[in-house]
Structures are given as structure tokens and as C-alpha cells.
Amino acid sequence: MKNKNKEYAVELHNISKIYKLKGKDEKKEFYALKDISFQIEKGDVVGVLGTNGSGKSTLSMLLSGISEADEGELKIHGEQALIAINTGLNQQLTGEENIHVKGALMGLSKKRIQEIKEGVIEFAELGDFLYQPVKKYSSGMKSRLGFSISLSLDPDIFIVDEALSVGDKGFAQKCVNRMMKLRDEQNKTIFFISHSLPQVKSFCKTGLWIEGGKLMEIGPIEEVCEHYAAYVDKYNALSEAEKKKIRDEKFKERLIEKKEIGLLQKIKKFVKG
């Protein structure tokens, strides 16, 4: 039962996301995320952990509204912005033009866009590259621009997906400092997806661990990081053959059997009908 004293920014109830795989002989479907449920209070800072392919980026796309769930209910209370290396940037446009386009998509007036542009230019520190097409940018420069635009648009919920894993450490720390200010002074809700456990532990309050498309644990950041680190250490100590066996088992668990596919299709058809 929902606690009436708590104000949630995000609520997920039995969320699943299904992707199709094209094989040589047949098409398969698998769960990128399966039966995920959690609630995040407004003002919380959530460190999202998980090994490669666990479903972290799929979760970030669902939270940001870029993708829709196939099953379950997702409630987002407030405006959200995804900060990833390439997401939301038009490669053919210049950095400056991207600022205008992003602002227009958010419904901002030309005057307001002009006002926030100065803040973006100052924070991104791109110099003359601001007037070059984004396709000429390095990954670090794209991260700088995307991060700076999202900060200036001032959403209620930030979803940061590995955006600080590229570029120089100085700018990454600058971004962390700004997000800390948003956390402490403006009560913003932040999802922080990163492989850097020290960074996650120093910045986040809550830990959310996803593995093999399933929610393994959610709780105080120190506890979740400790359990996740122990899992990673144990996995890394295995031989390559043992690692492959575990990966294959995880993937097999995520595959949807043909009977299950048929049932899902019948349910969807019934709902639409």
C-alpha cells in the first residue's frame, strides 16, 4: 500500500521491456527488463548498478520517456531529462543550434532559450566548437554539450547514463559538484548510472542493482555497493569458460519461450480488442 506521507518522483509496478532478436533460423524475443518494481521519493539520488547488458540503459530510456514498457505501469511525476553521450543531439546541427532545438522542443520561448544559452556556453567550455556540427565532436565534447543543455533546462528528474565516463576528469567533477548542488539545494531527483563505485558511493543515497534484466536489490547505497562489488569480484575470479557459462545461463533465462510468446500476443490482442 502506498505511503501517503511520501511523495514519489518515480513509480514502477511490474515493468517489463521486451526486445526482438533476429537469428539465422527464427526470431526470438527476450526480456531486457522483467517484472521490475520500485518507488523513488522526490529528492532521492539513486545509483544504478549492474554489469554490461544487465538492462541499465533500457531502464534509463524508460525513465526518460524515450521508450515505452511492454508490461506493467510506470508513473513519472515531473519533467525528466536523459543525459547520455549521444542522446538528444542532432549530429548534423552545430552545438549552438542544438541548444535552440532542445529548448524549442521543451516549449521555451526564443527569449528564454537565449537566456539559457549563455549558461550552456559557460558550463560546456566548448569554445569555437560550439559553432561546429556535433558530428565533429569527440565523445567527451558531446557529453559536455548534452550535460550543459540538460542542466540549463532544469528538469525535475535527471537520468545520467554513463555521461561522465568519457572526457576529462576535471569536467566530470564539475558536473558532479553541480548535481550535488541540485541535490542539496533544489531537491532534484537523480538517477546516476555508472561503473565507478567510488563516485556512486560518494554521490548517491540509494543503490539500485539490476542483473540479467531483474531487480536484484534496492536499498542504502553502501549496502548495495558492497553486495554488488562482492558479486563482481567473484565473477571476475572465474575462468573464461565459467564466465561464458554464467552469461549463457542469464541469456537463456531472459528468452521468452514460444508458448510464452503466444500467450503474450493473445493478451495484447485481447486488450486491444
Side-chain angles (χ1 to χ4, degrees):
M1 187 175 178
K2 184 174 177 179
N3 189 331
K4 293 182 180 180
N5 295 323
K6 293 183 178 179
E7 195 173 0
Y8 293 110
V10 172
E11 299 178 76
L12 275 72
H13 302 285
N14 307 112
I15 287 292
S16 293
K17 181 65 182 179
I18 300 168
Y19 287 139
K20 292 183 179 180
L21 296 174
K22 290 184 180 180
K24 290 182 179 179
D25 303 316
E26 60 179 340
K27 293 180 180 178
K28 297 180 179 180
E29 292 186 344
F30 85 109
Y31 285 105
L33 294 173
K34 186 174 183 179
D35 199 26
I36 302 288
S37 296
F38 62 80
Q39 297 170 319
I40 300 299
E41 293 180 48
K42 289 187 177 180
D44 200 352
V45 183
V46 184
V48 182
L49 304 170
T51 56
N52 290 333
S54 61
K56 302 187 301 297
S57 289
T58 298
L59 177 63
S60 72
M61 288 192 288
L62 291 176
L63 293 173
S64 61
I66 292 174
S67 181
E68 293 184 357
D70 292 296
E71 300 170 0
E73 183 181 26
L74 171 63
K75 294 180 180 179
I76 304 291
H77 306 287
E79 290 186 350
Q80 73 274 51
L82 173 63
I83 306 175
I85 295 170
N86 286 320
T87 304
L89 296 177
N90 187 310
Q91 303 294 310
Q92 306 304 317
L93 299 180
T94 67
E96 182 186 32
E97 289 168 338
N98 268 283
I99 298 171
H100 285 272
V101 169
K102 194 83 171 179
L105 289 173
M106 291 288 288
L108 303 182
S109 66
K110 288 183 178 180
K111 182 181 179 182
R112 180 58 185 149
I113 293 172
Q114 198 63 35
E115 288 172 353
I116 70 169
K117 187 168 78 170
E118 294 306 315
V120 174
I121 293 171
E122 181 182 349
F123 194 86
E125 300 175 355
L126 289 172
D128 290 339
F129 274 99
L130 188 74
Y131 310 104
Q132 298 296 317
V134 168
K135 63 183 179 182
K136 294 184 179 181
Y137 286 19
S138 66
S139 295
M141 291 165 67
K142 289 174 184 176
S143 176
R144 282 173 176 257
L145 179 62
F147 213 107
S148 301
I149 291 174
S150 294
L151 284 173
S152 295
L153 293 175
D154 197 33
D156 303 298
I157 303 166
F158 288 91
I159 303 108
V160 185
D161 188 356
E162 296 289 355
L164 302 183
S165 62
V166 295
D168 63 90
K169 292 183 179 179
F171 184 76
Q173 188 58 50
K174 180 180 178 180
C175 292
V176 170
N177 292 342
R178 176 61 69 89
M179 288 192 296
M180 284 181 173
K181 193 172 182 180
L182 292 171
R183 176 194 69 185
D184 299 335
E185 297 180 9
Q186 297 186 39
N187 204 39
K188 299 288 186 181
T189 305
I190 303 170
F191 287 86
F192 190 63
I193 302 169
S194 174
H195 285 290
S196 172
L197 286 183
Q199 202 174 53
V200 169
K201 283 196 283 188
S202 67
F203 177 54
C204 303
K205 301 175 184 177
T206 299
L208 191 155
W209 174 17
I210 294 176
E211 200 63 46
K214 298 178 181 178
L215 178 62
M216 300 297 291
E217 185 178 6
I218 183 168
I221 190 64
E222 288 287 343
E223 289 182 17
V224 178
C225 280
E226 182 181 345
H227 299 158
Y228 174 68
Y231 169 82
V232 171
D233 289 343
K234 186 176 179 181
Y235 176 81
N236 288 337
L238 299 174
S239 67
E240 288 304 317
E242 289 171 324
K243 289 178 182 178
K244 184 179 185 303
K245 183 180 178 182
I246 289 177
R247 290 196 301 268
D248 290 344
E249 287 174 352
K250 281 184 186 177
F251 181 72
K252 189 175 180 180
E253 287 179 3
R254 297 168 81 172
L255 280 176
I256 303 174
E257 299 296 332
K258 288 185 177 180
K259 289 181 181 179
E260 192 174 355
I261 292 174
L263 178 60
L264 285 171
Q265 288 174 340
K266 287 178 182 178
I267 292 172
K268 289 178 181 178
K269 187 176 180 181
F270 175 76
V271 172
K272 290 180 179 177

